[in-house]
Amino acid sequence: MSFEAVIGLEVHAQLLTRSKLFCGCATAFGASPNVHTCEVCLGMPGALPVLNREAVTLAVRAALALDCTVHERSQWARKNYFYPDLPKGYQISQFDRPLATHGHLDLEVEGSARTIDILRIHMEEDAGKNVHDDVLAGSRSYVDFNRGGVPLIEIVGAPQIRSGAEAAAYMRELRRTLRFLDVCDGNLEEGSLRCDANVSIRKVGATTLGTRTELKNINSFRFVAAAIDFEIHRQIAVVEAGDAVVQETRLWDAQAKVTRAMRSKEEAHDYRYFPDPDLPDLVLTAAAIHSARATLPELPAAKKERFVDALGLTAYDAALLTEEPELCRFFEAAVAGHKNAKGIANWILNELLREARGQPLAALKLTPESLAELVRLIDDGTISGKIAKDLFAELVTAGGAPAALVKERGLAQLVDTAGIEATVDAVLAANAGSVAAYRAGKTNILGFLVGQVMKASGGKANPKIVNEVLRRRLG
Ligand code: ADP
Ligand code: MG
Ligand code: ZN
């Protein structure tokens, strides 16, 4: 019997606001526990929420970029459950009237195009965090409410994904899109982007969906694929053994590389959703939605296409340059300064990434403007490739203006033919053996002689002229 897998992802993305969704507390990651809290996000009786406008702006931007219908009216709802990290006893979320519905995400999986529908995007506040300290005697547990009330969007994908690899591609494309939109920093380790995966299997050709399990605790791209593929095989084994898959929540154990049952359907929460009486409906005008759509930035997939079609980059280079917004912005800013996109792409992908050694580009002294200037100096023949490389390493660590440095240090290429002729003659006189060999037919010795002339000129002679002069003298 052959099976196919059906996967639907629910992704939570933390919005890049400075303050929380319903109060003025900071959202900054890594502060001491409970520093970023107030009566609102601690759920004190009588404290009232006030909606953060910027969070709505970011959520709308994400929804529009994913081609969703953004609703002019959506509703806040209380999702009720008891947990120590949830001081109010409910989470403010959206339920049957979400912010946006019916979008899609286009991706490329192993070279072929796929579209995954997005069922809905809603806004909600994050919960706090339980901290379990087994080191202390007595194994105490603590609660840190810094994260409580931080704005999230939940992006609910349709059950159309077919494998772990496809799920990972979906997550990567979503992350790239949200990062280019400046909506979410996409940091999986810090939990800014989190994924729950719903997984079921069915016989190939079946039209109804099988019973699903929900996988939690997947916090890296590697684990998305591994956890899902493990779960698919586990379910197939269950069915082939004559049993039925049980609907339950399972946790991915990254150490053991298995999923483990966490709670069954019977223990599942009944959230008793109802509209939050403390908050009016979220109302957006058609004009506001229209202008948000009109000001959407160019998305990475469109950039990649344009880099190939209009700038002449290879698909491979264009893909690398549109992976991270920081790298892409550096590239585009440099191209704005000098139109040789291919040359600039080569310098960034071959030299810059190596010199950066994993540091953020903003930490380097080289600016896009100085890279543009450097490539222009090469293109107009002012400096040789060799000089450019030396200068580049220095620009990365110490900075400076390339044209001024070239002038100051006399690094410009020697294009004066008479001067080069003199150097060539000196080199030929010192290498009589090689000259004789060349004349006897060993013409590949020319490269060696070119090298000697370049060396004698301190790397500054124009190699093209050196070649011409040498051939003339030897021929
Ligand atoms: P809930 O509110 O209980 O999380 P939903 O019906 O809203 O459930 O679905 C949530 C997610 O589960 C969606 O991403 C959807 O694609 C996925 N999903 C639903 N049914 C299945 C199934 N049988 N197999 C795999 N994924 C599923
Ligand atoms: Mg769910
Ligand atoms: Zn607060």
Side-chain angles (χ1 to χ4, degrees):
M1 201 186 316
S2 84
F3 294 94
E4 66 178 7
V6 176
I7 299 141
L9 299 187
E10 294 167 281
V11 176
H12 285 91
Q14 181 179 333
L15 300 174
L16 275 174
T17 57
R18 270 182 296 150
S19 57
K20 294 187 180 180
L21 186 53
F22 298 113
C23 63
C25 293
T27 53
F29 181 84
S32 304
N34 296 309
V35 167
H36 301 314
T37 55
C38 71
E39 58 273 30
V40 173
C41 57
L42 288 176
M44 305 283 188
L48 289 172
V50 177
L51 180 60
N52 179 338
R53 180 190 292 267
E54 179 64 9
V56 177
T57 300
L58 298 182
V60 167
R61 192 187 299 162
L64 291 172
L66 295 169
D67 228 4
C68 290
T69 303
V70 172
H71 301 295
E72 288 178 35
R73 184 178 289 268
S74 61
Q75 189 177 55
W76 300 102
R78 290 187 178 180
K79 179 178 181 179
N80 300 282
Y81 61 94
F82 174 78
Y83 209 62
D85 65 12
L86 195 71
K88 298 193 291 293
Y90 61 84
Q91 177 190 19
I92 305 176
S93 181
Q94 295 188 303
F95 185 51
D96 46 9
R97 302 195 62 180
L99 177 74
T101 50
H102 293 107
H104 60 90
L105 182 66
D106 300 330
L107 43 142
E108 220 183 279
V109 191
E110 281 143 19
S112 45
R114 281 279 279 142
T115 293
I116 306 296
D117 290 325
I118 286 166
L119 303 175
R120 54 185 270 148
I121 296 181
H122 65 255
M123 300 183 70
E124 63 187 23
E125 58 177 351
D126 206 347
K129 198 174 168 184
N130 293 320
V131 183
H132 305 291
D133 191 346
D134 331 292
V135 182
L136 281 185
S139 295
R140 289 158 207 256
S141 287
Y142 303 84
V143 196
D144 177 3
F145 289 108
N146 282 346
R147 208 179 63 184
V150 161
L152 306 175
I153 47 175
E154 178 171 346
I155 302 162
V156 182
Q160 294 170 342
I161 294 172
R162 293 285 173 263
S163 67
E166 220 170 272
Y170 174 92
M171 272 296 275
R172 281 182 202 283
E173 186 58 31
L174 200 51
R175 175 177 186 271
R176 185 167 78 131
T177 303
L178 296 175
R179 278 167 54 82
F180 270 83
L181 290 170
D182 276 326
V183 158
C184 172
D185 67 20
N187 191 327
L188 274 76
E189 293 80 55
E190 292 180 4
S192 320
L193 196 64
R194 309 196 280 266
C195 166
D196 296 339
N198 298 274
V199 179
S200 65
I201 56 161
R202 63 182 175 192
K203 279 184 213 163
V204 170
T207 49
T208 54
L209 293 175
T211 302
R212 68 175 145 136
T213 59
E214 184 169 355
L215 310 183
K216 294 204 177 273
N217 202 28
I218 314 178
N219 58 3
S220 88
F221 286 111
R222 218 152 32 91
F223 296 160
V224 173
I228 290 171
D229 288 337
F230 173 87
E231 182 59 17
I232 293 169
H233 288 116
R234 189 192 68 83
Q235 291 186 11
I236 291 174
V238 166
V239 172
E240 282 183 337
D243 294 325
V245 172
V246 181
Q247 184 171 345
E248 61 189 0
T249 302
R250 298 178 69 86
L251 276 188
W252 169 244
D253 179 339
Q255 242 101 57
K257 299 192 169 62
V258 298
T259 64
R260 296 184 201 284
M262 184 171 94
R263 59 172 180 255
S264 71
K265 195 185 179 187
E266 282 70 42
E267 300 162 75
H269 294 115
D270 170 7
Y271 294 119
R272 293 175 293 122
Y273 280 101
F274 64 88
D276 192 314
D278 287 343
L279 286 159
D281 283 354
L282 172 52
V283 177
L284 300 160
T285 64
I289 296 169
H290 181 83
S291 87
R293 184 179 284 115
T295 54
L296 275 181
E298 185 182 30
L299 293 177
K303 279 190 191 292
K304 183 183 160 196
E305 220 178 290
R306 180 168 60 82
F307 289 175
V308 172
D309 296 346
L311 301 182
L313 300 193
T314 62
Y316 183 78
D317 286 356
L320 290 177
L321 286 168
T322 50
E323 209 41 63
E324 299 286 328
E326 193 191 28
L327 193 66
C328 192
R329 278 166 202 159
F330 196 101
F331 168 72
E332 294 201 83
V335 172
H338 177 58
K339 296 286 168 247
N340 180 357
K342 266 185 135 156
I344 286 170
N346 283 337
W347 277 91
I348 289 178
L349 295 174
N350 300 329
E351 308 297 325
L352 183 60
L353 291 184
R354 185 160 43 77
E355 295 284 342
R357 289 184 203 91
Q359 298 174 78
L361 298 185
L364 308 180
K365 293 280 172 28
L366 178 82
T367 62
E369 293 71 30
S370 54
L371 177 62
E373 197 173 303
L374 183 75
V375 178
R376 184 185 313 113
L377 292 170
I378 305 164
D379 291 348
D380 65 16
T382 306
I383 55 173
S384 65
K386 163 83 178 71
I387 294 287
K389 273 201 178 148
D390 295 346
L391 207 50
F392 183 80
E394 183 184 336
L395 290 170
V396 169
T397 51
L405 286 172
V406 165
K407 210 165 183 181
E408 196 181 299
R409 300 189 191 161
L411 297 175
Q413 279 192 110
L414 301 174
V415 286
D416 124 67
T417 309
I420 291 176
E421 276 170 354
T423 312
V424 165
D425 289 342
V427 165
L428 293 184
N431 291 277
S434 301
V435 174
Y438 180 91
R439 290 197 171 121
K442 281 190 75 182
T443 50
N444 59 358
I445 217 153
L446 186 72
F448 166 76
L449 292 169
V450 171
Q452 292 302 302
V453 176
M454 291 303 294
K455 205 166 140 195
S457 76
K460 293 190 289 182
N462 177 312
K464 211 172 135 232
I465 302 179
V466 170
N467 256 287
E468 282 165 16
V469 173
L470 265 173
R471 282 176 197 281
R472 214 175 330 119
R473 285 286 198 268
L474 292 166

